[in-house]
Amino acid sequence: MRENFRQPEQAGEAAEARAASVARLAQELIRRPSRAGIDDYGPVLAVLEEWLSAHALPHRRLYDDTGNAREPVGLLVELPGGRPGRWWTLDACVDTAPYGDEAAWSFPPACGDIADGRLLGRGAADSKLAAAMFCHIAAELKPRAEALHGGLAVLLDVDEHTGRFGGARAYLADPAAARPAGVLIGYPGTDEVVVGGRGLWRATLAVHATSGHSGSRRTVVGAISRAAHLVRLLDEAELPAADAGSGFPLPPKLSVTALHGGQGFSVTPDLCELNVDVRTTPDFEAHDAEALVSNAVARLDTELPAPRPTDITPVASWPPFHLAEDEQPARALLHAAADAGLAVRPKIAGPSNIGNLLAGEGIPATAGFGVPYEGLHGIDERAHLAELPRVHAVYRQAVLNLLQPDGRSDRRLDRRS
């Protein structure tokens, strides 16, 4: 059906027009501040809901029931295909990191302006541009949904930067939602498709001691001194090196990330709490992290005895994840990028992300491919728009690949306007 195909210059013009529409929606999202734990998410969700309604895309809010309030944690778009098959999900967050020192920015953090080919403002890179792009992809696929196998969901999370990942949790817990066979997360960066990441094990350690007056003749080893000794033991703990033969290139890592204890000057405190963050790997998992920390705590309590043993309270544990290049949805995204002429490599990321949460549910995910960016979570966040048409085309092609029965896209569907 050659008459349905666009000429190259026409296809290029259509891609540029789609990218411009994506950028306009992203601008409106940036202009509605949605800093995690700070701003009301109603305005940014309202922008998305108005756009989705105008394009006749079915959508609904997801809620996290805590206490007496039902707080929105995300927005879910569901586009069922007309033929049997698996569901796949595009995921982007529309809450953001805080602004930091606004005086240090060279433009207002919520301006949403475009200058020198860059989209400016908090969330431009992470990840309001991706959210706008994913909404457009759903709208583009809607007219041809009857020919697609399975279905496409778009998850727009407003509880991601809190670290709770409430939108993803509510989505997976929703009995009305089709469980996805895989998820593509729209974090930015055009050179890599993130196909894995270290997991984590986190705990709070409560270090006890005998309290006393700092001016007393009696010498007391206070809780802060005991905690400092524990920090040294943890810093000196031996962690295994990365196993080059495992395909997972990163080693585990331990960090003490917070320490709280004492008040004023005259009292030696009887309690000091510290937070420990251990990044785990397939060869050093959560139980290994817990054993390492437990051994350091046992040494502390032996070398510097106290009236009470040190308490270990685990607070979070996510497994590492790693997709092979030929596993979906990594394969679809990598192949679509190669078809678009992009030299994209698979990457194992150091930071943990929603992909780890999904891995714990047995759901494979990619966690990053998008436009180039600057200032993510920092000052003067901006996203480069020159690559947006190709990034958009890559995700569109990848989704079409996934929504076909044999894993290959229908070229007639792909090349229609």
Side-chain angles (χ1 to χ4, degrees), residues 74-93:
L75 193 64
L76 181 64
V77 182
E78 293 172 302
L79 183 64
R83 301 175 184 179
R86 296 181 292 177
W87 278 71
W88 303 89
T89 299
L90 297 172
D91 174 23
C93 60

Side-chain angles (χ1 to χ4, degrees), residues 19-273:
S21 181
V22 170
R24 285 193 295 272
L25 177 56
Q27 287 181 282
E28 293 305 310
L29 297 176
I30 292 168
R31 289 166 182 161
R32 274 69 173 184
S34 53
R35 293 164 292 177
I38 299 174
D39 296 312
D40 177 10
Y41 301 134
V44 74
L45 289 174
V47 170
L48 290 165
E49 289 167 329
E50 181 179 356
W51 192 94
L52 293 167
S53 295
H55 291 80
L57 285 165
H59 59 276
R60 54 193 169 89
R61 289 192 180 189
L62 299 173
Y63 290 92
D64 176 23
D65 291 314
T66 55
N68 296 321
R70 281 168 53 85
E71 295 294 333
V73 292
L75 193 64
L76 181 64
V77 182
E78 293 172 302
L79 183 64
R83 301 175 184 179
R86 296 181 292 177
W87 278 71
W88 303 89
T89 299
L90 297 172
D91 174 23
C93 60
V94 290
D95 67 332
T96 72
Y99 296 152
D101 181 5
E102 295 186 46
W105 287 63
S106 58
F107 48 83
C111 69
D113 293 342
I114 294 175
D116 298 324
R118 294 167 174 82
L119 176 63
L120 310 181
R122 177 63 83 225
D126 185 15
S127 295
K128 291 182 175 181
L129 187 64
M133 179 175 63
F134 289 166
C135 289
H136 278 73
I137 290 173
E140 292 159 25
L141 267 58
K142 186 176 184 295
R144 64 197 65 172
E146 285 301 313
L148 302 177
H149 291 251
L152 174 67
V154 177
L155 173 63
L156 305 166
D157 196 333
V158 291
D159 192 30
E160 194 263 12
H161 282 84
T162 61
R164 292 189 295 262
F165 298 161
R169 292 181 188 276
Y171 170 43
L172 297 177
D174 189 340
R179 192 168 183 84
V183 177
L184 298 94
I185 304 167
Y187 296 136
T190 194
D191 297 326
E192 299 157 337
V193 169
V194 175
V195 297
R198 287 188 291 204
L200 60 80
W201 179 84
R202 289 173 175 165
T204 296
L205 311 184
V207 179
H208 303 281
T210 300
S211 63
H213 195 290
S214 60
S216 173
R217 293 184 178 183
R218 184 168 62 97
T219 300
V220 173
V221 180
I224 292 176
S225 297
R226 295 190 76 241
H229 187 67
L230 179 56
V231 170
R232 286 193 294 271
L233 293 174
L234 292 169
D235 285 344
E236 294 168 0
E238 292 189 11
L239 295 166
D243 183 354
S246 70
F248 200 94
L250 299 176
K253 182 181 180 183
L254 184 151
S255 303
V256 177
T257 57
L259 190 147
H260 306 282
Q263 186 176 8
F265 292 92
S266 62
V267 177
T268 303
D270 58 3
L271 174 66
C272 185
E273 294 185 326

